[in-house]
Amino acid sequence: MTTPPTEAGLRRLPCNLVDRAIEAALAEDLGLAGDITTDATVPPDATASAFIVAQQRGVVSGLPLAEAAFRALNASVIFKAEITDGMLITRGKSLAHISGNARAILTAERVALNFLGRMSGIATLTRAYVNQVVGTSARIVDTRKTTPGLRAIEKYAVRCGGGHNHRSGLFDAVLIKDNHIIAAGGPLAAMQAARSHAGHMVRIEIEVDTLDQLREILPLSPDVILLDNMSRDELREAVALNEGRTLLEASGGVDLNSVRAIAETGVDIISVGALTHSAPVLDLGLDFQKSSA
Amino acid sequence: MTTPPTEAGLRRLPCNLVDRAIEAALAEDLGLAGDITTDATVPPDATASAFIVAQQRGVVSGLPLAEAAFRALNASVIFKAEITDGMLITRGKSLAHISGNARAILTAERVALNFLGRMSGIATLTRAYVNQVVGTSARIVDTRKTTPGLRAIEKYAVRCGGGHNHRSGLFDAVLIKDNHIIAAGGPLAAMQAARSHAGHMVRIEIEVDTLDQLREILPLSPDVILLDNMSRDELREAVALNEGRTLLEASGGVDLNSVRAIAETGVDIISVGALTHSAPVLDLGLDFQKSSA
Amino acid sequence: MTTPPTEAGLRRLPCNLVDRAIEAALAEDLGLAGDITTDATVPPDATASAFIVAQQRGVVSGLPLAEAAFRALNASVIFKAEITDGMLITRGKSLAHISGNARAILTAERVALNFLGRMSGIATLTRAYVNQVVGTSARIVDTRKTTPGLRAIEKYAVRCGGGHNHRSGLFDAVLIKDNHIIAAGGPLAAMQAARSHAGHMVRIEIEVDTLDQLREILPLSPDVILLDNMSRDELREAVALNEGRTLLEASGGVDLNSVRAIAETGVDIISVGALTHSAPVLDLGLDFQKSSA
Amino acid sequence: MTTPPTEAGLRRLPCNLVDRAIEAALAEDLGLAGDITTDATVPPDATASAFIVAQQRGVVSGLPLAEAAFRALNASVIFKAEITDGMLITRGKSLAHISGNARAILTAERVALNFLGRMSGIATLTRAYVNQVVGTSARIVDTRKTTPGLRAIEKYAVRCGGGHNHRSGLFDAVLIKDNHIIAAGGPLAAMQAARSHAGHMVRIEIEVDTLDQLREILPLSPDVILLDNMSRDELREAVALNEGRTLLEASGGVDLNSVRAIAETGVDIISVGALTHSAPVLDLGLDFQKSSA
Amino acid sequence: MTTPPTEAGLRRLPCNLVDRAIEAALAEDLGLAGDITTDATVPPDATASAFIVAQQRGVVSGLPLAEAAFRALNASVIFKAEITDGMLITRGKSLAHISGNARAILTAERVALNFLGRMSGIATLTRAYVNQVVGTSARIVDTRKTTPGLRAIEKYAVRCGGGHNHRSGLFDAVLIKDNHIIAAGGPLAAMQAARSHAGHMVRIEIEVDTLDQLREILPLSPDVILLDNMSRDELREAVALNEGRTLLEASGGVDLNSVRAIAETGVDIISVGALTHSAPVLDLGLDFQKSSA
Amino acid sequence: MTTPPTEAGLRRLPCNLVDRAIEAALAEDLGLAGDITTDATVPPDATASAFIVAQQRGVVSGLPLAEAAFRALNASVIFKAEITDGMLITRGKSLAHISGNARAILTAERVALNFLGRMSGIATLTRAYVNQVVGTSARIVDTRKTTPGLRAIEKYAVRCGGGHNHRSGLFDAVLIKDNHIIAAGGPLAAMQAARSHAGHMVRIEIEVDTLDQLREILPLSPDVILLDNMSRDELREAVALNEGRTLLEASGGVDLNSVRAIAETGVDIISVGALTHSAPVLDLGLDFQKSSA
């Protein structure tokens, strides 16, 4: 299960998702009175031209959202991306050139940069983890620890960084944790309940904290086993016990320092909450060229 | 303009905002099929009891959202906060005790923690900045560099940390930047246009990059002047030139190391984008007690 | 993979789904002027009492929606179900007793019965299919041929009838059909593309029309193989070729007469579009008892 | 009041209704992650060409929705209808040709066919009833027993089949049933209450179960009288008693076998719940031609 | 068709309409930051008590909306109406007493009074028209010249004033005007088209400008004829020509001075746009009693 | 602070606001069945041409909404404004020429005129007030006594009339009234609470009823002081006491007769509730030219 951090063939962000996210963000920033500064100071027919410039090196994600922000204000604004999502940009380079109605560009600037900066921040951090595990068979995946309301967008940013996605939510896959096992009356009962209730297109993962639990659960043939907070030695032994039968996911205590050693234990999946809950923004700016009426 | 990082008298988060945010977050996590793991494994009438526990020291923000998440799933869940928003919590201490329907608690757990962790992360970082400027007359304020869709919630978290809020969006105050000045034909024209178009309840701020610009603008009597990316020497001279006539805001190049020195220049306001765009999550967990049917 | 048509332990319908469906249905029926007949003729404080009665034998589904319809009009209406979703009812028997404000009961009647009748119709038809395959290892599952806007509700009705659910939509599982295979450049390329793009919690199914295609695809180890429009002899041979390695789904040409023979070929899954696209309504009525003020 | 099943001059479906219905159906099918199969396997710029083909004979309804589904995914898809709503199509004939972006066509296929199949099913069943009463003066009309959320669309499908529409909902016409009469204190009081409260643009219908009730109500001059579950002999006598004064509607016990005889009693209106609550889907398929990049 | 301006038995405003209107109005007034004045100055647990007092004589309408506004802010606020919608209030009298959480009362005050003042203004003006025609057989009705977004609420206010409602919108009744007649090819063709397309529960009205047109149209037996901008002599002659066959509606040139004379011509309906497009607000105030903590 | 009633440079209405308002108004008028009269009588491809004509003299406001109404029904309708918002029109003159699809023009007519008539009514009344104070330094401003749901649109109409806007809602500025002062424990405490809680971009206004209160509050340096219901002599004395330090707003008892004398007292701001709560509609009509197919 090799996961080369590819810059091509990225699965795309649905259009309606982009439109809705931009609409909500603009509504929040514009209120009912709009951009009162720009409306007061910039003539309606003034034009402008600007570059989005990287203030630091990183992986780009969110260009379709940035474009949509400007065009939502004025459909005739021209947005020319100079790079594509998933690609690396270096400091001082331009991500895109924007030209057209000056009011639209000034008013949409912050919403465009807020999306682009955050998403690129996630992609950049993801890429750092992915780079650490190059050559191993481990995939770096995200978690449900995403910003409320932005999960699909953040999961796309993880893909831009070369990572993969864990389940989308509580609805599309089963993940049986310790409390579910207790409530169901043991791992066997929990697995049977899940198999009986879930459709045949739903994967079932189950969490174990110890190697003893792993031994108890392996014969139940879940699709994936989550090895929670295990030491590297335990992970290595888990891989050995598994004999390639089921996918093994490691989680807990993963950071940029530890991730390579964890990958080298032979686990298939390493899930990292920090990708989405603690990635700093990628610093980007909008540099205007001389505007002309 | 002293701003003591107070833990009392916090201006509150509107209820409808809380409800809408929780509804959106749950919709995203539950989809149309719901929590298929919990529904399959946990009996409908099982009960549970759990504590939200801090895994690290920080300032709490978001308890009303956490409560709303659990109660949205089942209105009879009891959420007993053991602390209030804006207070400091130490590692290992409990923020709240939750008891009631086990399915509701398990299903809402992630949404509750996602809000609480992010908001507390912002409050904690804000408090760190506020602590640095204690004893000076500077207020720490946020920017419009917030997570799209969550601005009002993040601005509340900044207040929980003892910070103050800059304008809410483009609609409620005027902030004239260099491009507006160029488009309007100079600072005087821009100020006049803003005064003529804006209502009398709208404050007007104008950005300057140099002391020469400051000298040109001071006689125009804006409500606030933004001193962008100035050195500490320039800031000190700006404070002297101003002679207490208008509020002065410093922005750019502010971090936890530099903020005290900037505050000591005598500026009234220091705006910090990182409060909302790069605060790491505060690590929190939900610890279940033995559940009982 | 036995699927006994059980009447207990049904995975439930999410509450917010029920509320939203009822709100939309009432909005459509009430418009902005409301129930002008009832408002004109029935005193505001009149009360009534009624039974929902089965006019024919069938499997019940939709009681939570019926209850929600009455209670949306007046929260003090008492709805006492006399049976639960997933159970069989015979002609002339009562499903529920409703009492309280007469206006609310009269106004909500049609919305309640429209949901209950349609959903019970689906559950009843599903049960008929499930009964046909008792003793085989085949599961009866639905398709995406559902009523636009009501998919999650109809999939719940299928579960009430003892059936299981196929994927929820295009977003939660991969189903590679002939056009995808052609576009990708063959089944191997299609499977690899799917594996590389989809997360590890996503199941992958691929469609084959012939046994030759099946032979080509079996080594690729998809999670499920869809055997489209095959004869029973072909299905039997497919089961033999598979040697239990992957789940096999039969689709096409399935009706109540043919389903048992198809199940007896040894396939694991039989998908039936008619469950949701052509189930006739179950005939139900609301019988009022003497109303009293 | 002759009602020839005309294929021209059909009152149209409002545009915004079409757009909203398609948006909701696509949202349900695409979730937040979109069509993960197509995105993984089909190149973004691949094109395709396909026909929508009737697998059985029937009356077409829903082409504007099918077109909107494809174009919602990609506005440059070309949808060329080869027939119009309300027309009869025979087995094997094409309803429309679609060409353009392959991803858009594959992703929208099911939503387009779900609407088209269901609506054509209703139109086809309606046409069967309408054909049965040709030459009589009876109109075939629908009821409020429609699919929740799709009433306006289903009522349009009834018109496509040559039927007419009963009231849209509880808000646009008065229909006084037995419970209203009891609550109001008799038919005279109910009619007076309705006349006093309803505007002058609102029609008033009242239900009777017996000829005695009819005799009591005729002098009150309602706009329409609903003859509920009467035998053909009773219907005939009702027509005679009425002497052409008011419109008479027959309901209850209507099927394709009985409808002609009911029409021949001379009633003006025959309402048939089955048109919308039990019409089977019209079987349609999307046949792709060789796709080309 | 006598229409006594009754104060009892008013057809009610649907609950969901009230809730949605209040939610929209509060959202507009509170934005995302809420009532920043009240939050800063009034303790969270302070209580208050106030009366809504009429500053001028008029007919009350909108109490359910006022109550909903206060209770939307805090469900424990007690709203005790001292009068009911449709009743006359004199200057200085109290409409309602409100007590409970002080923040909620202060924050909701303006929204509550905005609805109550406008609706009572409409009811008061309607009552003035209705009083003018007492003893004639004419009904005073509204038009579609309502405030966008508030039509159902304004039509309710008209009923509170003793008026009646014309059609709700373009969807629930046919009103054939001169342009429709021209487009259809004459009044006969227009009436036939309307009869053929509209359901049997839809009333048909047609507009005439001259007595000649009236003579041409009377034999076509529309449900209502609109006599547009006719002189009183023409109206009288129209009434004579009609011989009681169809309802006659007068419109155009109606004001409080002319309405009685128009009613005395014998027309059944007089429609007055001013009821909803030009009614001045009824002056109301919220008088606080000494607040207590 | 001179406020010349200019007809140029008007701050514009945000596009999304226009679109949403039109969508809501059309939804209310069209319901789910649409314009049944026009659909029945006007051929789908008929075209028409019409002028919007002023039946009385006034100031125009709302042309972008009128245009949006027609174009929402059919995007190819051509709307040619012959005047711009904020300009004076005389009786009999045309505001705009509309041409294109006849159904679209007929169906959108009422929604377009409802917005245009109401908004122009507000602009016209505002202009009357503004004209009265020409040559003084007073601005005419609106209040929060606006139509629920239409505040931003009505505030734009006030600007079209040459007026200015007070705060947008409770969220964007502080206005401390008597009840806030009592709850906070006096004016000093209230001002301090407001300063401490509000951001530095928020203006603070405080209400006084007497000159004694004014003397107490002046040293607290609020941004604006509201002089409520003061006599002209009191206002004059307030202006003298203020010595130009803070903005003074007069409110209460303002009408077209009194406004000039109030302005001449030297106050800066005069707020007038009647601008939005009691402006009569400006009478406008749609005059069709001969339509052609």
Side-chain angles (χ1 to χ4, degrees), chain D residues 19-260:
Chain D
D19 291 344
R20 248 180 310 159
I22 291 302
E23 187 183 10
L26 286 173
E28 180 187 65
D29 205 20
L30 290 169
L32 296 174
D35 181 351
I36 57 177
T37 308
T38 297
D39 286 354
T41 57
V42 180
D45 53 355
T47 59
S49 167
F51 289 99
I52 302 179
V53 179
Q55 320 281 14
Q56 61 179 124
R57 176 190 169 90
V59 176
V60 173
S61 178
L63 286 166
L65 287 118
E67 176 171 4
F70 293 108
R71 292 172 58 84
L73 267 290
N74 186 314
S76 67
V77 167
I78 295 166
F79 184 95
K80 233 184 83 186
E82 310 197 27
I83 196 172
T84 60
D85 277 6
M87 290 179 69
L88 195 69
I89 196 150
T90 50
R91 187 162 190 271
K93 284 290 175 59
S94 162
L95 288 76
H97 179 249
I98 304 126
S99 57
N101 183 271
R103 284 185 169 185
I105 296 175
L106 284 161
T107 298
E109 171 183 355
R110 179 51 35 221
V111 164
L113 293 183
N114 279 353
F115 275 110
L116 205 48
R118 267 146 211 287
M119 292 171 70
S120 299
I122 291 172
T124 301
L125 184 59
T126 303
R127 178 65 51 90
Y129 277 90
V130 169
N131 284 344
Q132 288 293 76
V133 303
V134 165
T136 73
S137 63
R139 274 187 176 189
I140 299 298
V141 310
D142 52 31
T143 65
R144 283 170 50 242
K145 297 178 180 178
T146 54
T147 309
L150 298 183
R151 183 171 291 166
I153 285 171
E154 294 188 347
K155 283 184 169 267
Y156 166 83
V158 165
R159 296 197 301 271
C160 289
H164 283 78
N165 299 145
H166 210 296
R167 59 176 175 167
S168 293
L170 296 167
F171 58 89
D172 64 335
V174 169
L175 174 40
I176 302 171
K177 299 189 180 176
D178 48 0
N179 288 295
H180 299 114
I181 293 172
I182 294 165
L188 178 59
M191 280 296 297
Q192 282 175 333
R195 283 235 170 80
S196 159
H197 285 79
H200 67 285
M201 294 301 281
V202 171
R203 287 222 159 163
I204 297 176
E205 179 167 5
I206 188 162
E207 178 185 313
V208 302
D209 298 321
T210 66
L211 293 172
D212 280 348
Q213 288 176 345
L214 176 63
R215 285 185 195 95
E216 187 180 359
I217 274 159
L218 272 174
L220 307 180
S221 301
D223 296 299
V224 190
I225 296 176
L226 176 61
L227 308 167
D228 196 38
N229 275 316
M230 287 197 180
S231 71
R232 289 173 214 165
D233 284 345
E234 288 174 304
L235 290 175
R236 244 184 308 270
E237 193 167 342
V239 170
L241 284 168
N242 182 45
E243 295 176 336
R245 280 176 291 179
T246 188
L247 289 176
L248 295 182
E249 171 182 345
S251 87
V254 186
D255 60 29
L256 279 170
N257 293 322
S258 64
V259 68
R260 171 116 206 141

Side-chain angles (χ1 to χ4, degrees), chain E residues 212-224:
Chain E
D212 280 351
Q213 288 175 345
L214 176 63
R215 284 185 196 96
E216 186 180 0
I217 274 158
L218 272 173
L220 307 179
S221 301
D223 296 298
V224 191

Side-chain angles (χ1 to χ4, degrees), chain F:
Chain F
M1 194 193 231
T2 6
T3 311
T6 171
E7 284 171 2
L10 184 69
R11 184 155 56 78
R12 300 192 300 180
L13 204 53
C15 290
N16 64 330
L17 197 65
V18 170
D19 291 344
R20 248 180 310 158
I22 292 301
E23 187 183 10
L26 286 173
E28 180 187 65
D29 204 21
L30 290 170
L32 296 173
D35 181 351
I36 58 178
T37 307
T38 296
D39 285 355
T41 58
V42 180
D45 53 356
T47 60
S49 168
F51 290 99
I52 302 180
V53 179
Q55 320 283 14
Q56 61 179 122
R57 178 191 169 87
V59 177
V60 172
S61 178
L63 286 166
L65 287 118
E67 176 171 3
F70 292 108
R71 291 172 59 84
L73 267 290
N74 186 314
S76 66
V77 166
I78 294 166
F79 184 95
K80 235 185 81 187
E82 310 196 26
I83 196 172
T84 60
D85 276 6
M87 290 178 68
L88 195 68
I89 197 152
T90 51
R91 188 164 190 268
K93 284 291 175 59
S94 162
L95 289 76
H97 179 248
I98 303 126
S99 58
N101 183 269
R103 284 185 169 185
I105 296 175
L106 284 161
T107 299
E109 171 184 355
R110 178 53 33 222
V111 165
L113 293 183
N114 278 353
F115 275 110
L116 205 48
R118 269 148 209 286
M119 292 172 71
S120 298
I122 290 172
T124 301
L125 184 59
T126 303
R127 178 65 51 90
Y129 276 91
V130 169
N131 284 343
Q132 287 294 74
V133 304
V134 165
T136 73
S137 63
R139 276 187 174 188
I140 299 298
V141 310
D142 52 31
T143 65
R144 283 168 52 242
K145 298 179 180 178
T146 54
T147 309
L150 298 183
R151 183 171 290 166
I153 284 170
E154 293 189 346
K155 283 185 168 268
Y156 165 82
V158 166
R159 296 197 301 270
C160 288
H164 283 77
N165 298 146
H166 210 295
R167 59 178 174 166
S168 294
L170 296 167
F171 57 89
D172 63 335
V174 169
L175 174 40
I176 302 171
K177 299 190 179 175
D178 48 359
N179 288 294
H180 299 113
I181 293 173
I182 294 166
L188 178 60
M191 280 295 297
Q192 282 175 332
R195 283 234 169 81
S196 159
H197 286 80
H200 67 285
M201 293 302 280
V202 171
R203 287 222 159 162
I204 298 177
E205 179 168 6
I206 188 162
E207 177 186 313
V208 303
D209 298 321
T210 65
L211 293 172
D212 280 350
Q213 289 175 344
L214 176 63
R215 285 185 196 97
E216 186 180 3
I217 274 159
L218 272 172
L220 307 180
S221 302
D223 296 298
V224 190
I225 296 176
L226 175 62
L227 308 167
D228 196 36
N229 275 315
M230 287 195 179
S231 70
R232 290 172 214 167
D233 284 345
E234 288 176 303
L235 290 176
R236 244 183 309 268
E237 192 167 343
V239 170
L241 284 168
N242 182 46
E243 296 176 335
R245 279 175 291 178
T246 188
L247 289 176
L248 295 182
E249 171 183 345
S251 88
V254 185
D255 60 30
L256 279 169
N257 293 322
S258 64
V259 68
R260 171 113 208 143
I262 293 170
E264 289 175 345
T265 63
V267 295
D268 305 286
I269 314 282
I270 303 173
S271 54
V272 187
L275 299 185
T276 53
H277 72 50
S278 294
V281 80
L282 187 75
D283 194 5
L284 305 169
L286 195 71
D287 289 356
F288 279 84
Q289 299 175 284
K290 279 280 160 98
S291 71
S292 59

